[in-house]
Amino acid sequence: MTALIIVEHDNAALKDATLAVVTAAKAFGEVHALVAGSGCAAVADAAAKIGGVSKVLLADDAAYAHPLAEELANLAISLAGSYDAIIAPATTTGKNFAPRVAAALDVAQISDILEVIDTDTFKRPIYAGNAIATVKSSDAKKVITVRGTAFAKAAATGGSASVEKVAAAAKTGKSSFVGAELSKSDRPELTSAKIIVSGGRGMGSGDNFKLIDAVADKLGAAVGASRAAVDAGFVPNDYQVGQTGKIVAPELYVAVGISGAIQHLAGMKDSKIIVAINKDEEAPIFQVADFGLVADLFEALPALEKAL
Amino acid sequence: MKILVPVKRVVDYNVKVRVKSDQSGVELANVKMSMNPFDEIAVEEAIRLKEAGKAEEIIVVSVGPKGATETIRTALAMGGDRGILVEHDGETEPLAVAKILKSIVEAEGPGLVILGKQAIDDDCNQTGQMLAQLLGWPQGTFASKVVVNGNDVDVTREVDGGLETVKLTLPAIVTTDLRLNEPRYASLPNIMKAKKKPIDEKTPADFGVDMTPRLTTLKVEEPAKRSAGIKVASVEELVAKLKEKGVIA
């Protein structure tokens, strides 16, 4: 069997989420990788080096400069005939276009898988991760999105796949990219960071996130936030860790002023070590924390920065 | 322009779901059911567009058990104009729901379909995108801002790196994210008025849609539990413990 994975990238570099997808896709046997973009040859070369990828399909066309769901889906649909599975990361890009592919192929999509049991059977979270369902698909072709934190990353180097150019699919022309406000940061990305320091409603204001930033900079960590902190306008939406934000599983997760709502826990409970700093010793976050510190964060954070 | 708002009846978001001891699913007996929170946001957005003069009629549709009538009534009390219940007991997979919605869209001719980005029970995040593909329409998913201008709609989307805006030619599909708006509460007079608003009753067979699930749930388990660790007394002790574990240098 052969799986086609859709490579996530920004036309310059391949995103880490792709590597976990390769690992999940290996269960199907051969893995081919589709790189759709504009001026993205470097990404195709990087994809060709991923261990386990045997062929790279490169669709280099202005239509794919931004990953518009309509165009990306049409391309994947045009290639789907040769594959047993189409697999994408469960990122906002993957979640956006993959169901269109499934609908066109008249198959059920299996969203956000955590484990491949066999090529028909998968584990996936339901009810915000409060339950894990094992589901078996009766469709001949599979369309799958993969939760990146649930799979080990394939080696980014060592492979030597061939790169084959493929034609762009017919354009729908019904959607266009207007603009983006992407957060610029020298810090690592949340979904690939080894250490994350997150703040919650207890931070009190966006300005106070400077205290988090200072600790994160000492640790080389990414900065995250709870939904409460994002809803309160302290930080932008892309900081959000949780069921409806980003799912993360770093080596170390430091939750500061975060009470530990279910929806937040769903996004970070697979972290290797969890530290909670909260002045409320009854906060549910302490029930999942390896190390809990009951303290006023406005004293603890500066002290932590100094101690590191 | 008409706006179609599909809504789903789900376990209330405040309920802590429990996995059944025989692992056949989660406990649904005597559990409070409500409108999927993302769908409430969709209803609110449709009402705001109507209030702004961008839409004339809001049609609320739900595919689900008889009890989903209540969910439709809630949306009508918020400000929807009429409802359609497509009654089905049992699984409602996104693909089958999208096929039913496609038929309804073709019959009603809305300019916009606004729905939640995902249901908080199965967490699929598929229905809007599938419907868009089946109709050959563009989509703006995970919306945090929706601006209708004549024949286009600009949708600002919450994406992994921040925000992104796309322009879609109407008719189009919009799926809602959390920060699009804050849904209103229905007032008592509006709840009373909603009781008189019409709800059409249909079945999947009326649309020729086969509801047989493509996915069979073999079992449902509790996720692996994390146990609470230890409390440390000071920042110094915390740093020492983390060094001991080798997670910081």
Side-chain angles (χ1 to χ4, degrees), chain B:
Chain B
M1 167 170 90
K2 290 186 198 175
I3 300 179
L4 185 75
V5 186
V7 298
K8 187 176 186 185
R9 181 179 191 258
V10 298
V11 172
D12 187 88
Y13 76 101
N14 283 312
V15 172
K16 171 99 179 79
V17 297
R18 286 207 321 273
V19 171
K20 286 188 192 169
S21 53
D22 66 358
Q23 298 194 322
S24 63
V26 303
E27 195 55 70
L28 294 176
N30 301 314
V31 169
K32 187 184 179 202
M33 305 295 282
S34 299
M35 192 191 308
N36 178 40
F38 291 105
D39 298 342
E40 269 190 312
I41 295 170
V43 174
E44 176 65 35
E45 195 64 17
I47 297 167
R48 290 186 189 190
L49 286 167
K50 189 180 168 188
E51 287 170 347
K54 305 277 188 189
E56 289 83 46
E57 189 184 28
I58 299 165
I59 307 159
V60 179
V61 53
S62 189
V63 181
K66 190 82 184 163
T69 310
E70 271 173 54
T71 314
I72 296 174
R73 289 271 175 227
T74 304
L76 297 182
M78 288 170 72
D81 293 297
R82 62 186 167 92
I84 302 170
L85 171 70
V86 182
E87 195 177 337
H88 176 71
D89 289 313
E91 300 245 5
T92 48
E93 286 186 350
L95 180 62
V97 172
K99 287 176 182 175
I100 290 173
L101 294 176
K102 175 178 186 259
S103 290
I104 294 175
V105 165
E106 283 165 353
E108 298 284 354
L112 263 180
V113 179
I114 310 180
L115 66 169
K117 73 166 180 178
Q118 73 192 66
I120 61 164
D121 51 4
D122 60 23
D123 286 331
C124 277
N125 195 331
Q126 299 171 6
T127 308
Q129 297 90 315
M130 286 182 157
L131 176 61
Q133 179 67 30
L134 294 178
L135 289 165
W137 287 12
Q139 68 188 40
T141 54
F142 327 144
S144 65
K145 192 176 172 197
V146 175
V147 181
V148 176
N149 287 314
N151 294 324
D152 295 328
V153 57
D154 283 356
V155 180
T156 301
R157 311 178 50 236
E158 296 202 359
V159 295
D160 287 335
L163 297 172
E164 168 191 287
T165 303
V166 290
K167 186 182 282 298
L168 313 174
T169 307
L170 292 173
I173 307 282
V174 170
T175 78
T176 61
D177 215 320
L178 292 167
R179 281 166 283 272
L180 180 58
N181 61 48
E182 254 185 66
R184 69 194 63 193
Y185 289 100
S187 66
L188 190 59
N190 285 342
I191 291 170
M192 300 311 288
K193 263 189 244 164
K195 289 187 176 166
K196 294 202 186 78
K197 291 182 180 174
I199 299 180
D200 252 6
E201 294 193 2
K202 301 276 189 191
T203 66
D206 294 335
F207 305 102
V209 173
D210 178 5
M211 298 297 285
T212 311
R214 305 292 187 84
L215 300 180
T216 313
T217 300
L218 301 181
K219 67 173 171 181
V220 174
E221 305 158 274
E222 300 236 0
K225 282 224 164 52
R226 262 192 105 97
S227 45
I230 58 163
K231 290 258 166 66
V232 292
S234 66
V235 165
E236 290 68 32
E237 192 189 345
L238 174 63
V239 171
K241 291 282 183 198
L242 294 178
K243 284 189 175 160
E244 214 173 277
K245 288 279 184 188
V247 286
I248 62 171

Side-chain angles (χ1 to χ4, degrees), chain A residues 57 78 155 168 189 198 263 279:
Chain A
L57 306 181
S78 73
E189 273 193 44
S198 283
Q263 100 90 28
K279 65 180 175 193

Side-chain angles (χ1 to χ4, degrees), chain A residues 74-109:
Chain A
N74 271 3
L75 178 64
I77 293 160
S78 73
L79 299 167
S82 323
Y83 294 97
D84 302 291
I86 309 286
I87 310 181
T91 54
T92 47
T93 303
K95 289 170 179 174
N96 196 28
F97 83 90
R100 292 189 74 113
V101 179
L105 300 175
D106 193 32
V107 303
Q109 174 179 304

